[in-house]
Amino acid sequence: MSLREHERRILAEIERQLSEEAPALAGRLEAFGSDDPDAPIDPGLRSWKPWVACGLIAAVTAGLLVLLFVLTPSAPQPEDTPRPAETSQGAEPAPEGGTVDRVPAPAD
């Protein structure tokens, strides 16, 4: 959030008066300030730590998902039921609207 020109002049005047009246306090307060308040304090060392933490969390989550996938039993597969063997060798399709006369097989 940027300041208006008038506000900047007021702050500069306050800083000047403070440095004249209490130079020790002004020196301590300057240690806290920077030209850009939105700039990170130490961009070199602290910027990689959040990425490492996110990477570790992602790796642990992916590992747990793989472990869950491997250890979860699969659903039982339906058994293939064998079809009953046909008793007549030369079965012909039934005519439409009619019945099929079957001749019984001779008994031995």
Side-chain angles (χ1 to χ4, degrees), residues 58-97:
V60 168
T61 303
L64 288 174
L65 286 173
V66 168
L67 186 67
L68 183 67
F69 180 73
V70 169
L71 294 179
T72 302
S74 61
Q77 300 295 324
E79 294 180 14
D80 291 334
T81 55
R83 293 183 179 171
E86 293 184 21
T87 54
S88 60
Q89 295 285 333
E92 295 179 12
E96 290 189 32

Side-chain angles (χ1 to χ4, degrees), residues 31-63:
F32 291 112
S34 69
D35 292 338
D36 184 13
D38 294 331
I41 295 171
D42 188 8
L45 296 177
R46 295 186 184 172
S47 63
W48 63 272
K49 290 179 182 178
W51 291 107
V52 170
C54 289
L56 288 173
I57 290 171
V60 168
T61 303

